[in-house]
Amino acid sequence: MDFAALKAEIIEESKKLGIDKIGFTTAEPFEYMLESLKEQHAKGHTVGFEHPVLDERIYPDRIFDNPQAILSIALAYPSKMTEKAERVRGERRGNFSRASWGTDYHVILRERMDRLIAFIQEKMPDARFKPMVDTGELIDTVVAQRARLGFIGRNGLLITREFGSYVYLGEIITDIPFPADEPGVFGCGECTRCVDFCPTGAILGNGQLNPNICLSYQTQTKGYMPEEYRQKIGHVIYGCDICQQVCPYNRGMDHHLHPEMEPEPASVTPVLQPMLTISNREFKEQFGHLAGSWRGKKPLQRNAVIALANYRDRTAIPELLRMIEQDPRPVLRGTAAWAIAEIVREPNPEMLAFFSERLIIETDEETKAEMEKAYLKMLEIQKTD
């Protein structure tokens, strides 16, 4: 079998399948990543979303019998909306980050890879494959850089010449010994814009970050968001795009190549107040197809409460009071209390009495602490007026 010729056929077929970039690398271990990953673990720069077995992230032969090559693919996604939601006076909207626009990218990439694998199997029926997207053992960006799709920038994202960093990545391990491409070469030069503009200092500038303080991670947690991050998320209820928006490689990048990636304005810029009372069925219908729905309803509702506070939306106060009184989830009760204290500028005696009563009734200690801070803040405002 002429594997170089087969590789050329696959590259041509990938274009027909809607794969924007494809590269090939060996299945040799990624041993140069070992010390870096150990250092990240030692510093606590992990959040639990990573694959837990370190060796399986480094050694392809630990997860695939006799691997010979890895195919890396990239699909470009849009960075601007062609249509925007209708603006209604008084309605406040939140935002999903660009990587969560359109149909969940895991679904799109798997479909493309399955079709590519089917094409290869027509040529080599006995060949074996292991496709992965995001949640697999290998590190997508590291594979993609070695397969010459691009280079890992200071912010840890893969940057391509054609599409910037607005790309989804996936890879396929196989036992076919394809010729390898040359690795991508670091191209950030002296630029540190992503480091300089990161609101929390999460980007370390060497291709690594501290994910614990990354706003994207903070929007995906299920407990209380630490107070120091609440104002910094602004009106974003999932993800963060800041390090991509300021990157020079992304200037002018906006590719609309895949209809299933086109954002629905009502879903990716949702009106915030209805999110506070959305049912499970309504949540699934409106957000279930988005990658940003994977953590469920509660984190997005918590973030919607924070966004309303950051808007200083006084019209949300009645609903926030209802949440404090009736919502069975402590995190939402406490976050609603914090939000009210952020919004109000002239607390009335009835509101202070309400908070005083809820403090007696509340049984969750962390929530009680949030309510007490909110109560004392409003009390202090009243004293100074």
Side-chain angles (χ1 to χ4, degrees):
M1 169 66 76
D2 184 343
F3 296 113
L6 178 57
K7 174 181 173 180
E9 287 186 55
I10 291 169
I11 292 171
E12 282 304 307
E13 182 65 18
S14 71
K15 297 173 185 176
K16 299 175 186 176
L17 295 177
I19 293 171
D20 300 318
K21 290 202 76 172
I22 186 168
F24 297 73
T25 185
T26 71
E28 292 297 312
F30 297 88
E31 287 187 321
Y32 65 94
M33 289 297 299
L34 189 57
E35 289 306 312
S36 173
L37 291 175
K38 285 182 177 178
E39 181 184 354
Q40 289 177 48
H41 278 267
K43 290 181 177 178
H45 291 175
T46 57
V47 295
F49 294 166
E50 308 87 358
H51 183 72
V53 183
L54 193 59
D55 279 358
E56 292 180 353
R57 305 183 74 189
I58 299 293
Y59 300 100
D61 62 1
R62 304 289 170 90
I63 58 174
F64 190 89
D65 184 36
N66 191 32
Q68 295 296 309
I70 309 173
L71 286 65
S72 180
I73 72 165
L75 273 66
Y77 59 86
S79 66
K80 294 181 175 61
M81 299 177 66
T82 55
E83 296 180 19
K84 294 188 177 180
E86 180 185 358
R87 297 184 67 87
V88 177
R89 186 178 178 84
E91 275 189 351
R92 301 299 189 179
R93 291 182 175 271
N95 302 290
F96 279 78
S97 66
R98 289 157 175 79
S100 187
W101 288 0
T103 301
D104 185 343
Y105 66 90
H106 299 85
V107 175
I108 299 172
L109 281 166
R110 286 188 189 118
E111 185 269 340
R112 296 294 198 280
M113 289 194 292
D114 286 345
R115 289 168 64 191
L116 186 64
I117 289 169
F119 172 80
I120 303 171
Q121 283 183 320
E122 288 180 3
K123 312 289 182 179
M124 296 191 66
D126 295 331
R128 294 179 296 106
F129 306 88
K130 178 180 172 66
M132 289 175 283
V133 180
D134 190 33
T135 54
E137 295 89 346
L138 301 183
I139 305 168
D140 298 327
T141 52
V142 173
V143 175
Q145 177 173 260
R146 202 168 80 177
R148 208 179 185 176
L149 263 61
F151 66 91
I152 297 173
R154 293 192 187 278
N155 58 4
L157 299 176
L158 187 87
I159 299 174
T160 70
R161 298 288 176 177
E162 303 91 338
F163 311 112
S165 62
Y166 295 122
V167 289
Y168 300 129
L169 302 173
E171 56 271 347
I172 305 168
I173 306 177
T174 182
D175 58 355
I176 304 173
F178 289 112
D181 297 317
E182 291 295 319
V185 178
F186 181 70
C188 290
E190 299 300 315
C191 178
T192 59
R193 286 179 65 83
C194 60
V195 179
D196 299 337
F197 281 88
C198 178
T200 63
I203 298 173
L204 306 181
N206 59 353
Q208 298 179 16
L209 73 157
N210 179 358
N212 295 285
I213 62 174
C214 173
L215 292 184
S216 180
Y217 167 70
Q218 286 297 328
T219 64
Q220 299 176 60
T221 58
K222 288 194 171 184
Y224 278 102
M225 182 181 291
E227 195 165 345
E228 62 262 35
Y229 306 124
R230 295 176 192 175
Q231 289 187 353
K232 289 179 179 178
I233 71 167
H235 314 131
V236 176
I237 58 174
Y238 181 85
C240 181
D241 285 323
I242 293 171
C243 68
Q244 299 199 84
Q245 289 174 293
V246 301
C247 177
Y249 280 100
N250 286 334
R251 193 173 294 128
M253 292 295 181
D254 180 33
H255 297 278
H256 299 262
L257 306 176
H258 310 283
E260 60 269 54
M261 293 181 187
E262 291 301 319
E264 300 169 3
S267 294
V268 301
T269 57
V271 180
L272 290 168
Q273 285 199 45
M275 289 189 67
L276 307 189
T277 55
I278 194 169
S279 69
N280 291 334
R281 180 181 60 80
E282 290 168 337
F283 179 83
K284 188 173 182 179
E285 288 175 356
Q286 184 172 356
F287 303 110
H289 63 292
L290 303 177
S293 71
W294 79 283
R295 292 288 275 174
K297 185 172 71 169
K298 187 174 77 171
L300 296 184
Q301 288 182 305
R302 178 203 62 188
N303 299 341
V305 170
I306 294 171
L308 286 165
N310 291 338
Y311 272 122
R312 301 291 191 267
D313 187 356
R314 294 182 60 84
T315 69
I317 290 176
E319 186 55 41
L320 294 171
L321 289 170
R322 184 205 62 80
M323 291 183 81
I324 295 171
E325 189 170 29
Q326 299 178 16
D327 200 292
R329 296 161 296 180
V331 169
L332 290 181
R333 295 198 300 271
T335 305
W338 169 84
I340 288 175
E342 290 292 301
I343 295 170
V344 299
R345 288 294 175 262
E346 298 174 358
N348 56 45
E350 290 82 5
M351 185 176 289
L352 291 170
F354 171 83
F355 268 77
S356 182
E357 179 185 344
R358 298 314 302 179
L359 277 167
I360 296 170
I361 296 171
E362 182 58 57
T363 57
D364 181 80
E365 289 303 317
E366 199 171 1
T367 301
K368 195 167 187 174
E370 287 279 349
M371 289 183 178
E372 187 169 15
K373 281 192 293 185
Y375 175 73
L376 292 174
K377 181 176 181 177
M378 289 189 291
L379 202 60
E380 190 63 29
I381 291 171
Q382 188 183 57
K383 288 178 182 177
T384 57
D385 284 350

